[in-house]
Amino acid sequence: MAGSEQPPTAAGGGGPDGGSLAGGGEAFGDRSLNQGLSVLVGLALCVTMLGLGCAVELGQLGHQLRRPVGLLLALLGQFVAMPLLAFLLALIFALDEVAAVAVLLCGCCPGGNLSNLMSVLVDGDMNLSIIMTASSTLLALFLMPLCLWVYSRHWINTTLVQLLPLGAVSLTLGSTLLPIGLGVLIRYRHPRAADLLVKISLWSLLVTLVILFILTGTMLGPDLIAHIPASVYAIAVLMPLAGYALGYGLATVFKMPPHCRRTVSLETGCQNVQLCTAILKLTFPPELIGGMYMFPLLYALFQSAEAGLFVLAYKMYGRDSYKQDTLGEEEDTDISYKKLKEEEVADTSYGTVTTEEHNSIQMEPTQTAL
């Protein structure tokens, strides 16, 4: 029995914030609503992965595999830049092990579906966006547990990190392959149904986040603010913003065109918060993770708000330049076409004159004979 009482004590001993977080865990464990919340999180993850699979076309996937720029960008952005960013923020803000694990887990997650929607709004490269999201999800099967193991070494002497369920994380990631594969099959067999499912998955993202906020607020009550340190709120604001900047810089290094830079920026900063929430909810005991279960929801709130500001700024200031560039390309095409037609007309008239001259030359001997 002593062993069963150790985790809450250890969680509370992680620092001044640890005790309050453990109290939040008791709120999760003592309510019957907790079971329904777990079911909701699991269903939301399945719908999200199904929508992701429905957005993938096998022809585009084969093209990207032959020229794996999107795969490389997904690797560098999601499993090099973002985990390192999460680790550095956890160190800078001196988080305890509970908050640090939640932040690291979110930083190690693959890209989310929100980036696909936002890429459309900023006239981005949708093929690149979808391939990056799908690639990072598949790479997460191997790289996400590895990143968690590497970056959690700083807190290795704490109970939470010693009990870090890497096997359960891998199992949760593996379970996402089934809905993704089903979505790819639906896209191949029934494209119209796949388009509908993609829209449903995007709407479910918004609805699920709203429901989770409401249910979590109900379960934690007015003590919600006390369970989450101010430093965690600061990280939830800074982390997606820094991710967008890192993604844009990464695309600039690869000398990609502006619309691809916007796409890579959104893909890097937008994390799969449904997956992060599911892992925290389904693999960690509630008395250990406590109120930090809320971190991916806070991240989702701020990543959506900041991406919305990104879209608004583009609509106000960047859209005109994009249209001018597009119009310039069209004018160049029209000018080239006109020149080609003029050359064709000139060649035809020249040929006619030559023919007439040739005919007149043929007619002269006949007239002489007469």
Side-chain angles (χ1 to χ4, degrees):
M1 296 298 294
S4 61
E5 295 176 359
Q6 183 179 357
T9 304
D17 300 324
S20 62
L21 294 177
E26 292 173 2
F28 283 111
D30 294 341
R31 302 291 182 91
S32 58
L33 195 58
N34 184 46
Q35 186 67 27
L37 191 60
S38 299
V39 174
L40 175 64
V41 169
L43 289 176
L45 181 61
C46 289
V47 172
T48 300
M49 295 298 101
L50 179 64
L52 176 60
C54 288
V56 176
E57 294 185 5
L58 294 178
Q60 297 174 358
L61 185 61
H63 174 72
Q64 290 294 330
L65 290 177
R66 289 190 295 270
R67 190 185 177 191
V69 178
L71 181 66
L72 179 60
L73 289 171
L75 172 64
L76 295 177
Q78 297 297 341
F79 302 108
V80 176
M82 290 305 291
L84 180 58
L85 174 63
F87 175 72
L88 293 177
L89 287 174
L91 289 182
I92 292 172
F93 285 91
L95 298 183
D96 63 87
E97 76 277 8
V98 178
V101 167
V103 171
L104 283 175
L105 187 62
C106 189
C108 295
C109 277
N113 285 22
L114 178 66
S115 59
N116 305 139
L117 176 62
M118 293 300 177
S119 294
V120 174
L121 298 178
V122 297
D123 299 315
D125 189 333
M126 275 305 297
N127 290 337
L128 177 62
S129 178
I130 292 171
I131 290 300
M132 285 187 67
T133 304
S135 300
S136 64
T137 302
L138 296 178
L139 289 171
L141 289 170
F142 310 99
L143 296 181
M144 187 175 176
L146 177 62
C147 289
L148 284 173
W149 181 82
V150 170
Y151 288 108
S152 65
R153 298 298 91 192
H154 182 77
W155 298 272
I156 190 60
N157 293 326
T158 61
T159 303
L160 183 66
V161 174
Q162 289 176 354
L163 297 176
L164 189 63
L166 295 178
V169 171
S170 300
L171 183 62
T172 305
L173 288 168
S175 65
T176 63
L177 290 180
L178 181 60
I180 291 175
L182 179 60
V184 173
L185 180 62
I186 293 175
R187 166 61 65 182
Y188 180 73
R189 295 286 184 86
H190 309 285
R192 291 185 179 180
D195 293 335
L196 179 61
L197 288 173
V198 169
K199 294 179 181 179
I200 291 175
S201 68
L202 292 175
W203 278 106
S204 70
L205 169 64
L206 175 62
V207 173
T208 302
L209 291 177
V210 172
I211 294 176
L212 287 176
F213 269 115
I214 295 174
L215 293 181
T216 305
T218 302
M219 294 166 67
L220 290 178
D223 296 331
L224 175 61
I225 301 298
H227 293 152
I228 302 177
S231 58
V232 174
Y233 281 98
I235 291 177
V237 174
L238 294 174
M239 191 168 160
L241 190 62
Y244 295 141
L246 286 172
Y248 198 91
L250 184 64
T252 303
V253 170
F254 277 79
K255 298 181 179 179
M256 303 190 77
H259 71 289
C260 290
R261 294 180 189 179
R262 296 192 295 271
T263 303
V264 176
S265 174
L266 291 168
E267 279 294 327
T268 305
C270 290
Q271 300 297 88
N272 191 335
V273 292
Q274 298 99 317
L275 178 61
C276 184
T277 303
I279 292 175
L280 285 173
K281 190 72 187 67
L282 302 177
T283 63
F284 286 95
E287 65 271 12
L288 278 178
I289 201 63
M292 283 311 301
Y293 158 77
M294 281 291 293
F295 179 76
L297 302 181
L298 292 174
Y299 188 95
L301 175 65
F302 289 112
Q303 80 170 3
S304 302
E306 291 166 5
L309 292 176
F310 189 171
V311 172
L312 181 61
Y314 172 74
K315 296 293 185 182
M316 294 177 61
Y317 303 106
R319 187 89 182 235
D320 293 338
S321 61
Y322 174 78
K323 287 182 178 180
Q324 290 176 1
D325 292 341
T326 305
L327 182 61
E329 292 176 359
E330 292 177 355
E331 289 177 351
D332 291 343
T333 304
D334 293 339
I335 291 172
S336 300
Y337 178 74
K338 289 177 182 178
K339 288 182 178 179
L340 181 62
K341 294 298 291 182
E342 290 174 357
E343 291 176 358
E344 288 179 354
V345 171
D347 291 342
T348 303
S349 60
Y350 177 78
T352 304
V353 172
T354 304
T355 305
E356 290 177 355
E357 290 177 352
H358 182 68
N359 290 337
S360 63
I361 291 174
Q362 286 180 346
M363 291 175 62
E364 286 177 357
T366 307
Q367 291 178 355
T368 305
L370 289 173

